[in-house]
Amino acid sequence: MKALIAAAALAATAVAAVPASAQISDEAAQIKIEKFAPEVDVTRLTDAQIQSLLNVIHSGGGRGDREATAQSLVRAYQ
């Protein structure tokens, strides 16, 4: 649980540091996010929430950890 909170805090901090030019298209973001959290409706997320999820997806660590964190964040956002 502490790792989840730390990852969420890190992701939220990193959102502000990402320049607009580094953002990917909505369609590409949707595809990436749905691979890690298939139940998400990306159209209902804010730009900051999408970027937070992408930060988790692109973070280091195992795929299972990233999937669990992404799915947990999606539940928190909905």
Side-chain angles (χ1 to χ4, degrees), residues 25-67:
S25 73
D26 290 341
E27 185 176 331
Q30 180 173 350
I31 292 167
K32 284 182 178 264
I33 291 170
E34 286 178 349
K35 286 181 180 178
F36 284 80
E39 73 281 358
V40 68
D41 179 6
V42 178
T43 61
R44 298 182 66 192
L45 299 176
T46 67
D47 289 342
Q49 290 170 334
I50 290 170
Q51 193 60 50
S52 176
L53 286 166
L54 291 173
N55 287 341
V56 168
I57 291 167
H58 294 130
S59 69
R63 182 177 175 93
D65 290 338
R66 293 181 289 151
E67 283 178 354

